[in-house]
Amino acid sequence: MPELRKTPMLDQLLDGPFPSFVKEIKKGAEKNEACNDLLGQLELSYEEKITHWKHGGIVGVTGYGGGVIGRYSDVPEQFPGLTEFHTMRINQPAGWFYKTDRLRKLLDIWEKRGSGLTNFHGATGDIILLGTHTNELQNVADDLAHEGWDLGGSGSDLRTPSACVGPGRCEWACIDTLDIVDTLTRRYQNELHRPMWPYKFKIKISGCANDGVAAKARADCSIIGTWKDNIQVNRTEVVNYVNGGFDIIGQVVDKCPTKCISYNPVTKSLSIDDNNCVRCHNCINKMPKALRQGKINGATILIGGHAPILQSAFMSWVVVPFMEMKPPYTEISDLLEKIWEWWDENGKMRERTGELIYRLGMRSFLKATGLPAVPQMVLHPRANPFFFWDKEEVNQ
Amino acid sequence: MVKTDFGPPKYLDMMSDLCKRNYGKWKYHEVLDTGTLVHVAENGEKLYTVRSATPRLMHIDTLRAFCDLADKYCNGFFRFTSRHSIEFLLEDESNIEPLKADLHAMGYSPGGVGNTISNMLHTQGWIHCHTPAIDASGIVKAVMDGVFDYYTEAKLPARLRLSLACCLNMCGAVHCSDVAIVGIHRVPPKVLDEKVAKMCEIPNVVAACPTRAIRPEPSKKSVVINDEKCMYCGNCYTMCPAIPIFDPKNDGAAIFVGGKVSDARHPAMFSKLAVPYIPNEPPKWPTVVQTVRMLIDVYAKDAKQGERYGEWINRIGWERFFKVTGLPFTDKHIDDYIFSIPTFRSTATFKW
């Protein structure tokens, strides 16, 4: 084993209270030449202020078109350990729950077959295994499969869906986020592992309006838990909050976006005009012991979210105000499959679903999916007179 | 041939009996301190969570050390959050302090719960990505060191989400974070004609440009770029490696503020531009760190209890935001991209 690469710039990131990634790479560098070269290449990037990873390169494992991302150094003569240094995406358990004996097996495989470096987790949600050789890819996949770990998505396919902690450890989950993500992921293995679409498609599932996995911002299909009936009020606990010095007027009444909550300081009682409630969740966030969501639960389905390229950033928008989310989740599957078919038929290369809706219009989308137009879809109706009519809508 | 397409490990196999017993039956939770939560089930059982930020990039030996801690204190169970934090799930309250002590000994400090900065969501940067304009882990390390007190002490008006994307692809909800650092380029890419002819599909390269700055150059089997129209998104480079856009002298970071994904009180919001450009300053990125620190200090001092960053700005107004932060307002802050007109002011009811 050659001696450790000298990294005077990176070494300045070893101190300080936040845990250091440089320390992590150095741990690897002591036993793995590729990690040592990674230190060297990163130091070079710090000197030159430029990345040294080459663009592209198709690698994979038998039977899969996604899950592995080719990565090659553009200075392999300086860092031979990075000549091939591919990423593998591993499908994470729903909610990122782990049992140590299961996880240790994955770590052992990555020690034997890869760099030993990981991301827990990547931005899409997968476990990321960072750096191995082309000739080890199949071995890693085989060994992992033997222990019950499957690859995730990459490229123009269904990206590994993810969900918030949900009913596993949260009282606010209006839907079983973990069961939904697990069911949909298993149902769409083919779409997940074999790129066949115009571009990527992401599904993220949050149990409530707090949107713990940033589904609205990050997913083409955002599934957000909500309820239809009245917020449940525990009057005793309301009094306890107030008696404990909680600023109920400042934190709850004044912050209610629709002013549907009022508090009577004489009777120490809270009343909610649920007809005007938009279920923003602030009051429940602030008084979790006193207020609970309603009992008629389901999800709002939003479509189209993605980051800026090509058509500026979109947050997903409402297409189904309320969907019951009961196993086996046929309703959401039916909708997804209609969307995918329409997008596959009409989308240009690298056009996200939201961009296609933007290009062809919501009218076209609604026709393709059979969804009815409802006021919940818009902030306000259009303010221009330039609307289209279909032939069957006008006198011939 | 081994099996394929079998999906992730079943989440229930990764959960403790207590979690399974109380699945969907949690009643409420409380924040015990900036690193600890307790969730109480309907049957009265309690689950304690100790949360700690990680650097996201971790060696397997660190994960093994986490496994050891989980075996020692949590019956072998833990979880991660969507922001790269680890959460130890404890049934025995008396294990909280010993676990925290062990974490500290490892160099990991519990925090990020309640009105704090939670762990910084980020991307790969120069460690492992082919498109970054800035590093990721290094800036995150420097920034988190610089604002660490806000991570361990609950002294913010509300929670604050810090994020970093190393290029304009913006992995990771950066465009909807309270304070977001985004890697940007400032000069058009270079077209390497011979390589374009060999490596790239011209129609796809042309179509990849949001501003139609690229047109074919058939005589060279390549493309030409209209520099006036290019706004340096790098999408053409993603389509075609023969159009490199990196420039050590001009790449750097922009800072956006006021985004959020939660709908609580106010609907989710996009982050908006605060600082158009800070040059790359490895290894400690002092200007980025100082700017983020200032942006958080001003908010911590001025916002009302319960106001997220964007809600605070909405109340005081953007004109006042630039005044209290001392940041210069420039032509870069006025949108000239796709949806610009609705962002212009059409009322005289502004503040001085």
Side-chain angles (χ1 to χ4, degrees):
Chain A
M1 185 82 196
E3 67 180 280
L4 283 189
R5 295 267 183 187
K6 297 274 184 294
T7 54
M9 292 182 92
L10 291 176
D11 289 354
Q12 296 179 51
L13 294 168
L14 284 169
D15 301 329
F18 192 72
S20 170
F21 73 103
V22 178
K23 192 172 149 192
E24 296 299 309
I25 307 176
K26 288 202 169 188
K27 275 187 196 177
E30 284 169 10
K31 21 179 144 171
N32 181 297
E33 189 51 33
C35 291
N36 198 18
D37 281 350
L38 182 64
L39 274 179
Q41 183 174 306
L42 189 59
E43 179 76 11
L44 183 66
S45 281
Y46 268 53
E47 288 165 11
E48 297 182 349
K49 303 182 186 180
I50 197 165
T51 188
H52 279 292
W53 292 105
K54 229 190 257 184
H55 182 301
I58 294 172
V59 285
V61 302
T62 308
Y64 285 44
V68 186
I69 299 155
R71 198 62 87 216
Y72 303 86
S73 170
D74 72 358
V75 278
E77 60 292 342
Q78 286 184 64
F79 307 106
L82 304 181
T83 307
E84 298 161 358
F85 200 67
H86 310 312
T87 299
M88 300 189 79
R89 288 190 177 151
I90 312 302
N91 198 155
Q92 79 286 359
W96 302 288
F97 281 91
Y98 291 98
K99 188 167 188 332
T100 54
D101 57 354
R102 295 290 302 276
L103 183 60
R104 282 179 200 276
K105 292 200 170 131
L106 180 144
L107 302 178
D108 291 346
I109 292 165
W110 195 235
E111 177 157 59
K112 185 175 161 198
R113 305 251 180 227
S115 71
L117 295 178
T118 69
N119 288 158
F120 273 76
H121 296 79
T124 296
D126 312 77
I127 300 165
I128 304 289
L129 301 180
L130 214 59
T132 193
H133 290 110
T134 311
N135 62 12
E136 281 288 17
L137 292 170
Q138 190 66 49
N139 296 328
V140 177
D142 290 351
D143 289 359
L144 286 172
H146 192 258
E147 298 298 341
W149 296 94
D150 201 351
L151 300 189
S154 69
S156 294
D157 62 11
L158 175 65
R159 296 299 179 85
T160 316
S162 65
C164 73
V165 65
R169 197 216 45 198
C170 185
E171 71 273 23
W172 292 336
C174 291
I175 49 175
D176 191 341
T177 57
L178 303 181
D179 191 44
I180 298 167
V181 76
D182 194 78
T183 304
L184 294 181
T185 305
R186 284 172 207 283
R187 188 169 294 162
Y188 296 118
Q189 287 291 298
N190 199 37
E191 286 77 3
L192 181 67
H193 286 137
R194 274 151 220 111
M196 55 175 124
W197 285 338
Y199 203 10
K200 60 184 132 181
F201 191 94
K202 297 183 178 180
I203 301 173
K204 291 192 193 293
I205 305 159
S206 287
C208 75
N210 290 316
D211 198 357
V213 285
K216 278 195 298 292
R218 297 206 276 172
D220 300 88
C221 174
S222 320
I223 301 173
I224 313 272
T226 191
W227 65 95
K228 266 194 147 170
D229 52 340
N230 297 344
I231 291 175
Q232 305 173 67
V233 183
N234 181 326
R235 302 197 179 280
T236 315
E237 291 293 349
V238 171
V239 175
N240 288 343
Y241 271 104
V242 176
N243 289 348
F246 176 67
D247 176 18
I248 195 166
I249 299 292
Q251 291 303 302
V252 173
V253 176
D254 288 351
K255 291 252 186 326
C256 175
T258 60
K259 307 295 170 215
C260 72
I261 298 186
S262 55
Y263 175 71
N264 184 329
V266 181
T267 57
K268 290 191 176 171
S269 62
L270 195 69
S271 49
I272 302 176
D273 171 15
D274 283 279
N275 277 332
N276 275 316
C277 172
V278 290
R279 303 170 314 287
C280 87
H281 222 276
N282 177 63
C283 57
I284 299 169
N285 290 348
K286 297 296 177 197
M287 308 172 75
K289 278 182 171 176
L291 301 178
R292 301 200 69 170
Q293 301 142 318
K295 292 176 178 172
I296 303 175
N297 293 320
T300 300
I301 312 298
L302 306 94
I303 298 289
H306 69 79
I309 299 167
L310 280 166
Q311 291 284 1
S312 204
F314 296 166
M315 259 184 258
S316 293
W317 55 85
V318 174
V319 296
V320 181
F322 190 85
M323 185 184 279
E324 270 199 348
M325 297 298 287
K326 298 272 190 277
Y329 313 111
T330 316
E331 201 177 350
I332 186 70
S333 280
D334 286 349
L335 177 61
L336 285 169
E337 287 162 26
K338 278 182 198 158
I339 292 171
W340 291 337
E341 195 184 335
W342 176 74
W343 175 49
D344 218 7
E345 197 67 31
N346 294 283
K348 294 181 190 173
M349 188 185 176
R350 284 170 57 83
E351 188 172 46
R352 296 282 285 267
T353 308
E355 293 172 326
L356 177 64
I357 297 173
Y358 185 60
R359 179 163 63 86
L360 296 187
M362 194 69 155
R363 197 174 56 111
S364 170
F365 173 81
L366 294 181
K367 209 176 233 183
T369 54
L371 291 171
V374 292
Q376 285 83 356
M377 289 175 172
V378 294
L379 290 172
H380 58 75
R382 74 161 79 205
N384 65 65
F386 307 124
F387 28 93
F388 295 92
W389 295 98
D390 291 329
K391 273 190 178 154
E392 57 269 26
E393 290 176 304
V394 295
N395 298 323
Q396 297 297 319
Chain B
M1 183 72 190
V2 291
K3 56 183 176 172
T4 56
D5 298 302
F6 52 92
K10 192 79 184 168
Y11 56 97
L12 289 171
D13 296 339
M14 298 285 189
M15 267 183 205
S16 68
D17 286 342
L18 188 140
C19 275
K20 277 191 270 196
R21 221 169 24 244
N22 297 298
Y23 191 89
K25 296 176 191 163
W26 299 102
K27 195 173 175 190
Y28 66 90
H29 76 275
E30 288 178 303
V31 173
L32 299 182
D33 59 48
T34 55
T36 321
L37 293 155
V38 60
H39 284 79
V40 182
E42 283 167 8
N43 65 8
E45 285 190 295
K46 291 181 176 175
L47 179 71
Y48 299 91
T49 298
V50 172
R51 180 186 296 171
S52 176
T54 80
R56 178 173 115 134
L57 187 147
M58 284 183 288
H59 188 257
I60 47 175
D61 286 349
T62 302
L63 287 156
R64 284 177 177 139
F66 286 146
C67 288
D68 291 343
L69 292 181
D71 287 340
K72 190 171 167 189
Y73 297 116
C74 312
N75 302 324
F77 296 96
F78 60 86
R79 71 176 292 268
F80 281 88
T81 72
S82 63
R83 305 184 68 85
H84 325 309
S85 287
I86 187 166
E87 291 188 336
F88 291 92
L89 306 170
L90 302 93
E91 300 181 14
D92 185 348
E93 191 178 4
S94 67
N95 277 332
I96 293 175
E97 291 310 317
L99 167 64
K100 284 184 177 173
D102 283 357
L103 278 171
H104 278 293
M106 269 179 76
Y108 286 76
S109 304
V113 174
N115 289 350
T116 61
I117 291 172
S118 48
N119 195 15
M120 194 161 169
L121 189 63
H122 68 98
T123 54
Q124 292 286 21
W126 291 337
I127 280 179
H128 210 222
C129 187
H130 65 289
T131 67
I134 55 175
D135 191 30
S137 303
I139 301 179
V140 166
K141 163 70 177 153
V143 168
M144 284 302 284
D145 280 343
V147 298
F148 202 72
D149 50 326
Y150 285 119
Y151 161 75
T152 54
E153 299 167 43
K155 53 186 186 179
L156 287 167
R159 66 184 55 193
L160 192 140
R161 304 272 193 234
L162 268 175
S163 302
L164 178 147
C166 53
C167 80
L168 295 182
N169 283 321
M170 286 200 180
C171 308
V174 165
H175 55 302
C176 296
S177 295
D178 296 282
V179 177
I181 301 165
V182 181
I184 60 158
H185 308 286
R186 297 193 303 156
V187 286
K190 300 167 195 71
V191 181
L192 309 175
D193 290 325
E194 277 184 29
K195 280 190 168 180
V196 172
K198 276 188 215 150
M199 299 170 77
C200 307
E201 293 183 25
I202 306 296
N204 288 337
V205 180
V206 170
C209 180
T211 58
R212 300 186 183 175
I214 304 177
R215 63 180 168 79
E217 176 59 272
S219 65
K220 296 179 183 166
K221 293 184 179 170
S222 182
V223 295
V224 286
I225 294 177
N226 179 341
D227 287 359
E228 295 290 308
K229 284 186 179 174
C230 173
M231 48 66 177
Y232 337 113
C233 72
N235 204 36
C236 53
Y237 175 67
T238 301
M239 287 306 297
C240 171
I243 312 181
I245 192 170
F246 309 107
D247 185 336
K249 293 197 297 286
N250 282 295
D251 292 349
I255 298 182
F256 287 69
V257 297
K260 71 182 188 111
V261 291
S262 158
D263 275 341
R265 302 170 301 284
H266 187 289
M269 292 185 275
F270 284 120
S271 320
K272 281 123 189 163
L273 181 65
V275 182
Y277 176 69
I278 297 172
N280 279 332
E281 299 171 324
K284 304 271 276 191
W285 315 89
T287 313
V288 172
V289 176
Q290 284 159 20
T291 309
V292 170
R293 177 81 209 188
M294 178 278 289
L295 285 166
I296 297 172
D297 284 342
V298 172
Y299 159 72
K301 187 163 159 274
D302 197 65
K304 288 183 179 170
Q305 194 63 25
E307 265 178 348
R308 287 283 291 264
Y309 207 101
E311 295 172 306
W312 164 63
I313 297 174
N314 281 352
R315 178 169 59 78
I316 66 169
W318 284 97
E319 59 272 41
R320 184 102 1 120
F321 168 81
F322 284 96
K323 194 178 254 183
V324 296
T325 56
L327 292 171
F329 187 87
T330 71
D331 61 343
K332 306 293 179 291
H333 292 90
I334 301 176
D335 195 353
D336 51 12
Y337 191 46
I338 293 178
F339 305 113
S340 59
I341 300 295
T343 68
F344 297 171
R345 200 193 301 263
S346 46
T347 160
T349 55
F350 45 77
K351 294 174 188 172
W352 298 115

